[in-house]
Amino acid sequence: GITNWSASKDPSGGTPARQNSLYALLAYPALNISRVDATSDTFAFVRLNRSIDISRLSPLQIHITSRTVKAIQPLDETKFYVFVDYPFSVDSSYKIQIDTLWTCSGESFTSLSYEFCIGVQHHKTAPIINEILFKPASGVSEFVEIYNPTNQCVYIEKWLIATLYFDTTKIKYSSVISGLPYSMHPDEYLVICTDSNSIKNYYPDVPSGVFLQLKSMPYLTNDSGTVALLTDSSSIHEKAIYRDRMHYKLLVSTYGVSLERVSPYLPALDTNNWHSASSLTGYATPGYKNSQYLINQESEGWLSLSSQLISPDNDGFQDNLIINIILEEPGYTATLIVYTPAGLPVRTIAENILLGTENHIIWDGTDDSRKPLPLGNYILYASLFHPSGKTKKTYKPISVIYPMK
C-alpha cells in the first residue's frame, strides 16, 4: 500500500543497490475480518483490519451460510462488497468464511471467518442518543454516543447526527454518520466525533473499535442545545436537549464532563433522565456502559422503586432513584414528597402532576434547594387523586448513604 513508501533519508538522496535507509521489519497484526454489515438485500460489506492484494481476491474463495457468492466488488484495499444469489433474512445470523487472503507484502492468511447479523432498517426504538460531551476539556473532541439497547441489529447507513434550532424540529447543522453500509449490533455503543485520539488520550478506559470519526460534525455549544439523530430520509428518529445546568450541582467545573442517559428506556427529552458522568470513570464513558445507568425493578403493586438506597455523590453508585407508578387507568394526578422520620418535608419531587398509566419519575437525591440530602433514613410519601374521586396513598422507606472516606 501507499503507506509502505516514504522519501529516502540517506544523505545522498537514495540507496541504489543498498539497503533502504528506512528499512524496517515491522510487526504487523494478523489479518482478520473486522466487521461485516448487511441488510435484507443481496450484498454484504466486508471490512478488514489490514490492506490486502485485491487482485488475488476471488468469489470462489468466499463462502456464506446458505448463500452462494456470485461476485465481489472491491472498494479499496481493506473493504469490499460480496454479492450473493438471494436476499439475506432479517433476524437471521450468517457466517462468512474466506479460504485465503494475501497482503500486499505477500503474506497469506487462511480460514478467516466472521459471524454477522442482518440490520433492520428504520427501527422504531434504536439506536438511541446515550451520552453527550458538549463542553470538552481543552484539546478534546466533542462527542455524541449512540447505543443499541435492543436484541436486533440496526442498519444506520446514511443516518445523520444533527443539531436543531431551539424548541423546533428545524435542522441547524447535520453530518452523515456513515456513508457506507453499517449495522449496530445488539448492545453496541458508537462514539461519533471528529478526533478519536484526543478522546482516547483523555479517557483511557475507552474500548477499541467504538468510534465513528467524521471529518466534521455539528458544533455543540457549551451552554445548551438540541442534538438529533436523523434517519437516511432526514426525518427525526430521536432528539435530546442538553443544558449545562443539567449537570450535578456540586461540580466545580463541567469542562470534560459528559451528560449520560440514566435509562435507555425512558424518554431522551426528559431532562431528569440525564446526569453527569461519575467522577470514578473520569467524568465520561465513551463507548461503554454509562456510569449512571439505572435499571428499573419489576413493579410490585402500583408504586415501586428501583432501589431503597440512594447515594447522591456522583460516584456512579446509586446516584439516582426511579419511582415507578403503574396504574389501571389514566387521569390520576400525583404528589410525591420526601420526609424525614420526624415528619419534616425536605423535597417535593412532584406536585399535582398529571400521570399516564405507566410512569417513571427520576429523583437525584437532593432537597428542595438542590443540595444532596444528608446521610440517613427518609420516607417517600405518594398521594394520587382521580377525578372520579378515587385516591391512592402509600409510604416507601428510603435511605441516603455515602461511602466511607
Side-chain angles (χ1 to χ4, degrees):
I2 192 171
T3 57
N4 196 35
W5 295 85
S6 188
S8 175
K9 292 187 178 181
D10 191 87
S12 66
T15 55
R18 292 184 288 124
Q19 181 171 289
N20 289 348
S21 62
L22 296 175
Y23 176 80
L25 291 174
L26 300 179
Y28 288 107
L31 177 66
N32 60 57
I33 302 170
S34 55
R35 68 179 297 129
V36 178
D37 297 283
T39 184
S40 54
D41 209 325
T42 56
F43 69 85
F45 188 67
V46 180
R47 291 173 172 87
L48 305 172
N49 68 325
R50 287 180 58 185
S51 298
I52 62 168
D53 185 350
I54 291 294
S55 66
R56 303 179 74 173
L57 185 63
S58 166
L60 298 177
Q61 301 168 327
I62 303 174
H63 315 279
I64 295 180
T65 309
S66 69
R67 296 293 185 273
T68 300
V69 175
K70 307 297 286 186
I72 56 173
Q73 180 182 324
L75 187 64
D76 58 31
E77 294 176 330
T78 62
K79 296 183 282 290
F80 56 90
Y81 290 89
V82 177
F83 294 90
V84 296
D85 52 347
Y86 61 96
F88 294 108
S89 300
V90 174
D91 293 334
S92 297
S93 60
Y94 297 85
K95 183 177 182 178
I96 185 171
Q97 183 163 325
I98 304 177
D99 295 336
T100 308
L101 288 177
W102 287 266
T103 67
C104 296
S105 60
E107 294 177 275
S108 64
F109 291 85
T110 60
S111 300
L112 287 81
S113 63
Y114 190 95
E115 292 189 10
F116 62 98
C117 57
I118 305 305
V120 177
Q121 292 180 303
H122 307 130
H123 198 287
K124 291 183 179 180
T125 60
I128 64 167
I129 301 170
N130 198 55
E131 186 174 359
I132 307 169
L133 180 67
F134 58 91
K135 196 174 179 181
S138 178
V140 180
S141 173
E142 301 171 336
F143 71 76
V144 176
E145 177 194 80
I146 59 177
Y147 171 55
N148 179 8
T150 73
N151 60 1
Q152 292 181 304
C153 282
V154 181
Y155 199 68
I156 59 169
E157 180 186 4
K158 297 181 181 178
W159 281 44
L160 302 97
I161 190 73
T163 53
L164 307 180
Y165 287 98
F166 178 72
D167 208 22
T168 71
T169 58
K170 185 178 179 182
I171 298 170
K172 186 185 294 185
Y173 302 107
S174 65
S175 298
V176 174
I177 294 173
S178 176
L180 295 173
Y182 207 104
S183 294
M184 287 190 71
H185 294 186
D187 202 38
E188 181 176 8
Y189 298 83
L190 288 176
V191 180
I192 304 166
C193 66
T194 58
D195 183 0
S196 59
N197 285 331
S198 69
I199 296 172
K200 287 186 284 188
N201 291 337
Y202 196 82
Y203 304 104
D205 293 332
V206 180
S208 60
V210 299
F211 289 99
L212 281 178
Q213 182 168 300
L214 312 183
K215 291 183 178 178
S216 64
M217 64 179 284
Y219 172 68
L220 307 178
T221 56
N222 282 357
D223 54 348
S224 63
T226 303
V227 175
L229 194 57
L230 312 181
T231 68
D232 55 359
S233 61
S234 294
S235 61
I236 296 176
H237 172 74
E238 183 175 70
K239 63 180 180 177
I241 297 171
Y242 67 84
R243 302 280 186 271
D244 194 48
R245 64 174 180 266
M246 290 164 60
H247 275 298
Y248 183 61
K249 307 305 178 187
L250 298 185
L251 287 175
V252 175
S253 172
T254 56
Y255 281 100
V257 184
S258 73
L259 279 177
E260 295 181 333
R261 191 164 174 165
V262 175
S263 172
Y265 307 108
L266 299 183
L269 287 174
D270 181 357
T271 56
N272 291 320
N273 196 27
W274 294 87
H275 196 284
S276 303
S278 166
S279 58
L280 297 181
T281 60
Y283 293 108
T285 53
Y288 60 104
K289 185 178 178 180
N290 286 351
S291 62
Q292 303 296 356
Y293 178 83
L294 200 58
I295 302 175
N296 284 351
Q297 288 184 338
E298 292 294 324
S299 293
E300 297 177 3
W302 60 270
L303 187 146
S304 65
L305 306 177
S306 57
S307 173
Q308 289 188 327
L309 305 178
I310 187 167
S311 177
D313 58 358
N314 202 47
D315 67 352
F317 172 74
Q318 303 282 55
D319 286 332
N320 296 276
L321 182 145
I322 298 180
I323 303 165
N324 304 297
I325 301 176
I326 309 300
L327 301 168
E328 72 283 357
E329 61 180 323
Y332 280 94
T333 57
T335 296
L336 306 173
I337 302 175
V338 178
Y339 290 90
T340 66
L344 176 68
V346 289
R347 176 63 189 273
T348 300
I349 299 173
E351 187 170 14
N352 293 324
I353 62 169
L354 180 63
L355 299 178
T357 54
E358 184 173 336
N359 311 271
H360 309 283
I361 301 167
I362 299 176
W363 176 48
D364 61 1
T366 60
D367 61 18
D368 284 328
S369 62
R370 297 303 188 268
K371 295 180 180 178
L373 284 174
L375 178 76
N377 296 320
Y378 297 86
I379 298 168
L380 171 66
Y381 170 66
S383 174
L384 276 61
F385 173 79
H386 194 273
S388 65
K390 291 184 286 187
T391 62
K392 295 178 183 286
K393 296 181 181 181
T394 190
Y395 298 87
K396 293 286 185 180
I398 297 171
S399 295
V400 174
I401 61 172
Y402 294 96
M404 297 181 64
K405 301 294 185 182

